[in-house]
Amino acid sequence: MAVPSAKPGPRPTRRAFLGLLAVGGAGLASATYARYLEPDWLDVAEVTLDPLRFPAPRGLRILHLSDLHFGPHVPLALIERAVTLGLAQRPDLIALTGDFVTGRLRETAAYAAVLRRLAAVAPTFACLGNHDAIVAAGPVGEVARTAAVVRLLREARADVLINETREVAVRGGRIRVSGLGDLWTGQNHPARCLTPTRGPGREPLAHMLLNHNPDARLAAMPYHWDLMLCGHTHGGQLGVPGVAEWLAPVSDKSHIEGLRERSGRLIHITRGVGSLYGVRLFCRPQVSLLVVG
Ligand SMILES: [Fe+2]
């Protein structure tokens, strides 16, 4: 019986081989950039706040830092550079909106020394994020993690607000600052520190609300506040339309970074300083400055 001879397949051409090489090279270059260059390349973003929406003293400068994520993928040196860049913007007031660590808190004294530079310049307020409580050990571990981060922030002279409100003198006027507990860790209780709106009208002072997860906006809407500062999304970390929204860990995908007005209130989401897994692509780490226009 005659054995059918195997038909030789088409031979790869030199052009196809070079094409594959180019695609592979571009992929490797993108991966190297996303892992080793962009996560370290801080961006300073300034936005103007409408004084009709946030009636604070004109010219007030608010530094907004979030998601520092000090841990295996985010060195303290990056956080220190973000602090230096932030202070160079001459802030009157500083807001830190959670996720100070990834994993176990370490080098507490050195970390506190870096953050203390902020409070040495301007009143500094902080709320906590989900990473400031999450730990595999369960409820006991969560309490320990939260306590450790709160201790770190107090050592850094930051005022930690967990469903609490303060009044602060800034730039010749006064404003209210509140901070909510984190949504995912079940500590988000706006009723404990905010006044219900119950019809039209406004509080006498501009009111800034620190709230790690922007999804908690809905629960906060029935209460008085003018400007909400959030983090949590990291801008999606991979800034490709569609992918960024998919990756951002929020239910409301319509707003994952920047300033937006929603139902007459201002909401600002910063991309944050650190990252998870040390990867960012077209979504640079951010130092945000908000200026009352
Ligand atoms: Fe985060």
Side-chain angles (χ1 to χ4, degrees), residues 67 69 99 212 232 234:
D67 299 81
H69 279 289
D99 277 3
H212 178 67
H232 186 61
H234 302 188

Side-chain angles (χ1 to χ4, degrees), residues 149-165:
V149 174
V150 168
R151 257 197 318 275
L152 161 80
L153 292 166
R154 289 191 176 142
E155 273 180 43
R157 314 266 190 270
D159 194 348
V160 186
L161 303 175
I162 304 176
N163 305 303
E164 293 166 83
T165 297

Side-chain angles (χ1 to χ4, degrees), residues 8-21:
R11 292 182 61 186
T13 63
R14 186 166 177 270
R15 183 182 292 179
F17 175 72
L18 289 176
L20 275 174
L21 206 63

Side-chain angles (χ1 to χ4, degrees), residues 193-278:
C193 62
L194 302 177
T195 313
T197 48
R198 292 200 188 102
R202 202 161 197 169
E203 289 179 321
L205 297 178
H207 197 153
M208 180 172 89
L209 179 59
L210 278 55
N211 174 38
H212 178 67
N213 186 333
D215 276 343
R217 165 183 65 92
L218 293 176
M221 272 302 178
Y223 301 91
H224 279 293
W225 51 271
D226 303 297
L227 167 69
M228 180 186 283
L229 301 186
C230 310
H232 186 61
T233 66
H234 302 188
Q237 280 196 205
L238 300 183
V240 177
V243 177
E245 289 78 5
W246 179 64
L247 286 174
V250 283
S251 304
D252 181 355
K253 307 286 189 182
S254 67
H255 178 204
I256 63 167
E257 68 168 277
L259 182 70
R260 285 263 305 268
E261 184 183 324
R262 310 203 60 175
S263 309
R265 323 276 189 100
L266 296 176
I267 300 178
H268 182 259
I269 305 174
T270 182
R271 294 199 295 264
V273 171
S275 60
L276 292 182
Y277 313 113

Side-chain angles (χ1 to χ4, degrees), residues 105-124:
L105 178 60
R106 59 203 171 92
E107 297 178 51
T108 309
Y111 195 6
V114 167
L115 296 181
R116 202 177 298 132
R117 292 175 55 208
L118 297 167
V121 168
T124 300

Side-chain angles (χ1 to χ4, degrees), residues 133-144:
I134 292 173
V135 78
V140 174
E142 287 174 15
V143 170

Side-chain angles (χ1 to χ4, degrees), residues 52-118:
L52 295 176
R53 291 283 172 235
F54 183 62
R58 290 283 179 113
L60 178 71
R61 300 168 74 81
I62 303 166
L63 173 63
H64 180 194
L65 299 177
S66 195
D67 299 81
L68 307 179
H69 279 289
F70 178 41
H73 299 294
V74 180
L76 196 52
L78 175 67
I79 296 170
E80 185 154 30
R81 278 196 292 115
V83 166
T84 301
L85 261 178
L87 293 178
Q89 312 310 311
R90 297 172 287 107
D92 302 300
L93 188 64
I94 298 170
L96 309 173
T97 50
D99 277 3
F100 293 91
V101 289
T102 299
R104 192 174 57 82
L105 178 60
R106 59 203 171 92
E107 297 178 51
T108 309
Y111 195 6
V114 167
L115 296 181
R116 202 177 298 132
R117 292 175 55 208
L118 297 167

